[in-house]
Amino acid sequence: MSYYRDNLETLTFEEYLKRRFKPSTIKSYLYLLEPFHFQIKDPVNAKLDDLYFFLECVKKNPCTTLCAMKQYYNYLLFTQKIKRHPLKKFSLRRPKKPVQFQDLFDQKELDYLLNRPVRYSMLEYRNKAILSLLIYHGLTSENIIRIRLDDIDLAEGEMYLLQGTRSVRRIIELNEKQIEYIEKYLADERPKIAKSQQRVLFLNKLGDPMTVDGLFRMVKPMNNYFPDRVLNPKTIRQSVTRNLTNELRMPLVKVQQITGHKRISSILNYRSPDMKEMRAILLEFHPMDRFL
């Protein structure tokens, strides 16, 4: 690194990249920056508006192009050609896809998953316990695989959940059925597969901790009951949030307490319009009402 600092004036951008990235990444960055250098003639003195306008014009790989531009300005900063990084805190956010309500599941459909015929009885109660946490509390896959034996208190009917990427830490109340499922799993199923000193609650059939992929594989066969829709832990969580918000019309704060969403604004995406309220507004303000 001292060599580079002693030769800042002659250090090229490609040489700078070679100390930090593999050849394929360097090739990609140099390729993506070709149109940047074509449009931005003087990157050192370029205005922010010009940089933002260029990014708006990028049709393919705008996020990767931004990464390449940031590396280029890192290089200019390193070689002391600029004193401030213009794009350091700039980011591109992909627009969120709207929730497709027609693809989600109502509460009756979710309840059916718990009452369906069981093909394999080896881990029946483990599967029922996991499904109940999905369909009653809208837990994330991350929540479920991180539950430890010490996190459950069956006498009090409570379970402690650690904070996840998309959820806050919280304590949830278990209903009688859930307590029954977990008790039977702990008494009959888990001892047959558990390895020594394994403190995670849910294990796979080999005795290893359940993974997110494992949860998706567990739910995947149930998709046969709904061939026109996608059933997985994510869509179950979305369905629970939608059902609590719309079918039960729960306050958003209560929905947040149950599902653990970090932001109430996330729950707002699942709120469907109140048709009675919309009708009242339409009748009050629609111009045709004047002629009735």
Side-chain angles (χ1 to χ4, degrees), residues 168-181:
V168 297
R169 63 181 182 180
R170 63 199 189 280
I171 295 176
I172 60 173
E173 295 183 4
L174 304 173
N175 62 39
E176 292 183 3
K177 278 292 185 182
Q178 290 177 300
I179 295 174
E180 177 187 347
Y181 297 149

Side-chain angles (χ1 to χ4, degrees), residues 157-172:
E158 293 180 342
M159 177 180 288
Y160 175 76
L161 300 174
L162 297 171
Q163 180 169 322
T165 307
R166 299 178 179 275
S167 59
V168 297
R169 63 181 182 180
R170 63 199 189 280
I171 295 176
I172 60 173

Side-chain angles (χ1 to χ4, degrees), residues 124-142:
E124 174 184 355
Y125 292 104
R126 182 208 68 174
N127 294 351
K128 285 183 177 292
I130 291 175
L131 281 172
S132 72
L133 293 172
L134 288 170
I135 69 175
Y136 294 145
H137 305 281
L139 265 58
T140 65
S141 299
E142 183 184 12

Side-chain angles (χ1 to χ4, degrees), residues 112-163:
Y112 175 73
L113 297 177
L114 275 176
N115 301 316
R116 78 196 193 290
V118 178
R119 293 197 305 172
Y120 305 108
S121 59
M122 178 182 175
L123 292 171
E124 174 184 355
Y125 292 104
R126 182 208 68 174
N127 294 351
K128 285 183 177 292
I130 291 175
L131 281 172
S132 72
L133 293 172
L134 288 170
I135 69 175
Y136 294 145
H137 305 281
L139 265 58
T140 65
S141 299
E142 183 184 12
N143 284 149
I144 292 175
I145 66 173
R146 295 175 68 189
I147 299 172
R148 302 162 303 187
L149 293 173
D150 297 337
D151 295 332
I152 55 175
D153 186 344
L154 296 180
E156 295 294 328
E158 293 180 342
M159 177 180 288
Y160 175 76
L161 300 174
L162 297 171
Q163 180 169 322

